[in-house]
Amino acid sequence: MGVRAQGGSLAPGRVVGDGRYRLLAQFGVDERAAAHLWRARDGQLKRDVALTLLVGDPADAEAARLARRTLERAAHASKFGHGGVARVLDVLSLGSGVTSSEGLLGVVVAEWTKGSDLVDLVAQRPVAPAAAARMVQALAEAVDHAHQNGLVLGLDHPQRLRLTPDGALKLAFPGPLPEATLRDDVKALGAVLYLLLTGRWALPGGPAAIPAAPHAPTGRVIPPRSLVPTVPVELSSLAVRTIEDGGHGGIRTSAAILRVLDQAAEAEERTQLIKAVGEEEAVAEPDGTVWTTKKPVKDVARRKKLAFGVTVLVVATVVILAWGGMMLINLFQGESKSSGPNLNVAASSSSAAPPPSGEQPPPAQQPPPGPTVGTAVKPSAVAVFNPGSKGDSPGRAKNATDGDPGTVWKTDDYDEQFPVLKNGVGLVVTFKDPINLSQVKIDAGSPGSKVEIRSADKKNPKLDETKVVGSGDLAAGESTIALQQPQQGQYFIVWITQLGEDGDGKFVTELKELTFLAAG
């Protein structure tokens, strides 16, 4: 891509920097500092470089002062080495590599970053959430390392960034603004994440080529999830909380961003992997390899063989135990016949007649067994139950019953505890046929949450049309909620009446896995 230089004084083919650097193509303009971003050819070393050209009139004292401050900060950054930042090779100032006739106040020379332009990357469509998280993660590591060394990178402009061939974002045109702060770098990480997820820039001073992020009447930036519903709530919240200066629960350090990015990326990658495996067509090869539409997965065949072997072993064990039991019964019956007369202990009256000679007494009447608990029944469908509202990750509701604790369903992050904003939220499950539900096991990652188990007569009832049949508190890990008595039904709701806390002042509940146990 190319952004025309104002005034047309800079154009491909022109040589700057005391005749050393020939301009090849322009990649952006940071209007805030009149910084023009170019790819150029170093005529001496015969290599491509990235140039940040500070355009201005040398007679303008204030512009010259700001340019000097930018060059000083760039020179300081030349001592910093990290894979997420292009190495500064040289810094040219007026009288030292730059002449007043060039219309420049200074030049920052950096190594050229191969790859793609960030603006081009998001021009067609937003980036997948997991990929976006990983891209920003690499950049956040560079920021964290720089801040530990007291350096400001100045990456709060999307045209200064490029995507490397290995999928990481890199600051390709170093040169922090004179007044840039550590906080500006952190906000930039949130803005870059926002850009990747939505294709919009959420900070002032962005390029005209990128639409600005929309804002609510209150002035707050609209969350990415409101623009692109497939964005996970964790990443949407992270972007907004990092960008905004005020309010409760804001994120102020790159270290905090790294923690959230890593967790969110892993969760999203697991979700996508499960979906991909489920969608692939499997074809069995003679050697047992299962070929999918993407790559061979021997583990699938191995798991199938293991499951079959375990099933055969269980069946064989049951048959052996049953045979052994019959042999013991016959043994005791034989001993009873050969050792003397049968003894008949009457259960009621002494007038009960003894059995005819040579016949065994009828078996004693046993009381009917009580209900047994332990048969897990998998729901045929699961959905978010959110009367009068939307949100709370409806697309991830199935994660709570997919049999994998590594995939989760989470509520949105709330600033206030229930019932300030609403009475609650939950999941409604549907079974193919009515079951006699006795217990619900809940594997949760949010201690402090409180839930109710409710029965319903239909899939989408009103809350007052449901009945509470059990309740309990959730601990970290698995909790068991026993119903007051077994409940026959086809529709049940796990209703959250109190949220847990995430440690950053937000209220949220995370459900890893729900298991529904029926009474026998």
Side-chain angles (χ1 to χ4, degrees):
M1 65 167 291
V3 179
R4 299 291 183 187
Q6 293 181 343
S9 59
L10 297 177
R14 179 180 168 181
V15 179
V16 299
D18 202 17
R20 177 169 177 175
Y21 303 102
R22 183 176 299 277
L23 302 182
L24 299 178
Q26 189 172 10
F27 283 81
V29 177
D30 188 345
E31 299 284 359
R32 302 169 302 169
H36 294 241
L37 313 174
W38 281 80
R39 181 178 184 175
R41 184 69 174 176
D42 184 340
Q44 292 185 10
L45 298 181
K46 308 300 181 183
R47 63 182 179 182
D48 286 358
V49 292
L51 299 186
T52 300
L53 306 177
L54 304 180
V55 178
D57 183 358
D60 185 338
E62 179 61 15
R65 182 188 69 82
L66 294 176
R68 284 195 301 272
R69 175 59 176 154
T70 296
L71 296 174
E72 289 171 358
R73 302 187 87 173
H76 193 39
S78 65
K79 303 173 184 177
F80 174 70
H82 191 279
V85 180
R87 185 165 55 95
V88 175
L89 303 175
D90 201 358
V91 175
L92 311 178
S93 58
L94 280 171
S96 178
V98 175
T99 62
S100 58
S101 62
E102 291 183 296
L104 302 177
L105 300 176
V107 180
V108 179
V109 184
E111 62 183 358
W112 177 247
T113 300
K114 296 180 180 179
S116 306
D117 184 28
L118 180 57
V119 176
D120 287 343
L121 175 68
V122 300
Q124 299 299 322
R125 66 181 62 87
V127 177
R134 291 301 185 197
M135 290 178 188
V136 179
Q137 189 175 20
L139 198 60
E141 289 173 354
V143 172
D144 190 54
H145 188 60
H147 288 189
Q148 292 178 16
N149 289 275
L151 296 174
V152 175
L153 294 183
L155 43 80
D156 53 345
H157 193 281
Q159 290 177 327
R160 290 181 178 266
L161 304 175
R162 289 178 62 77
L163 182 68
T164 65
D166 59 357
L169 286 178
K170 187 171 185 176
L171 178 58
F173 296 93
L177 299 183
E179 308 303 326
T181 65
L182 299 177
R183 172 67 183 139
D184 290 329
D185 279 347
V186 175
K187 291 174 66 174
L189 293 174
V192 171
L193 178 61
Y194 195 106
L195 175 65
L196 294 173
L197 296 173
T198 68
R200 297 168 180 263
W201 186 248
L203 292 179
I210 301 178
H215 288 71
T218 59
R220 299 188 66 183
V221 65
I222 299 297
R225 185 178 172 83
S226 298
L227 304 177
V228 183
T230 55
V231 173
V233 64
E234 298 91 344
L235 291 180
S236 181
S237 175
L238 174 64
V240 172
R241 291 168 60 194
T242 304
I243 293 168
E244 294 181 340
D245 285 316
H248 180 65
I251 295 179
R252 299 290 180 268
T253 66
S254 53
I257 294 175
L258 278 170
R259 288 194 296 270
V260 179
L261 281 175
D262 189 50
Q263 295 170 1
E266 288 185 0
E268 187 65 16
E269 286 165 353
R270 284 195 299 267
T271 300
Q272 295 305 318
L273 179 60
I274 291 171
K275 289 181 180 178
V277 171
E279 293 171 356
E280 291 170 353
E281 286 188 11
V283 179
E285 295 287 348
D287 66 351
T289 298
V290 175
W291 286 86
T292 69
T293 55
K294 293 184 178 180
K295 60 180 71 174
V297 185
K298 290 183 178 290
D299 286 345
V300 176
R302 194 174 296 117
R303 286 195 296 269
K304 288 182 178 179
K305 291 178 181 178
L306 179 61
F308 178 75
V310 171
T311 302
V312 172
L313 179 61
V314 171
V315 171
T317 302
V318 171
V319 171
I320 292 172
L321 290 176
W323 177 79
M326 293 176 63
M327 294 298 294
L328 287 174
I329 291 172
N330 291 335
L331 176 64
F332 285 121
Q333 286 180 346
E335 289 178 354
S336 176
K337 290 179 181 180
S338 62
S339 61
N342 294 323
L343 298 178
N344 183 28
V345 180
S348 54
S349 171
S350 60
S351 61
S357 176
E359 293 185 13
Q360 297 299 319
Q365 294 291 329
Q366 299 292 331
T372 59
V373 178
T375 304
V377 185
K378 184 175 178 60
S380 59
V382 57
V384 173
F385 184 67
N386 207 355
S389 183
K390 295 182 179 180
D392 291 276
S393 307
R396 304 178 71 181
K398 60 183 179 297
N399 291 348
T401 60
D402 63 359
D404 181 6
T407 62
V408 303
W409 172 79
K410 291 177 65 175
T411 68
D412 290 345
D413 291 341
Y414 291 87
D415 292 323
E416 302 289 345
Q417 180 62 271
F418 291 164
V420 174
L421 298 177
K422 57 184 180 182
N423 291 330
V425 68
L427 296 175
V428 55
V429 297
T430 303
F431 294 92
K432 184 177 180 181
D433 299 303
I435 67 169
N436 196 27
L437 185 65
S438 179
Q439 290 183 2
V440 179
K441 291 186 177 181
I442 302 177
D443 189 0
S446 47
S449 301
K450 296 181 181 293
V451 299
E452 294 175 346
I453 308 301
R454 291 173 170 260
S455 63
D457 295 326
K458 54 186 177 182
K459 182 177 180 180
N460 297 308
K462 296 180 181 178
L463 185 62
D464 57 7
E465 295 175 338
T466 66
K467 180 177 68 174
V468 178
V469 295
S471 62
D473 299 345
L474 301 185
E478 190 175 272
S479 303
T480 299
I481 299 178
L483 274 58
Q484 298 156 3
Q485 60 184 21
Q487 181 70 33
Q488 190 80 13
Q490 191 173 1
Y491 306 98
F492 292 92
I493 299 168
V494 178
W495 181 246
I496 301 167
T497 59
Q498 177 176 303
L499 300 163
E501 294 190 47
D502 66 357
D504 289 327
K506 294 285 184 178
F507 298 94
V508 63
T509 291
E510 176 185 274
L511 301 184
K512 300 179 180 179
E513 198 65 31
L514 301 176
T515 305
F516 298 85
L517 302 178

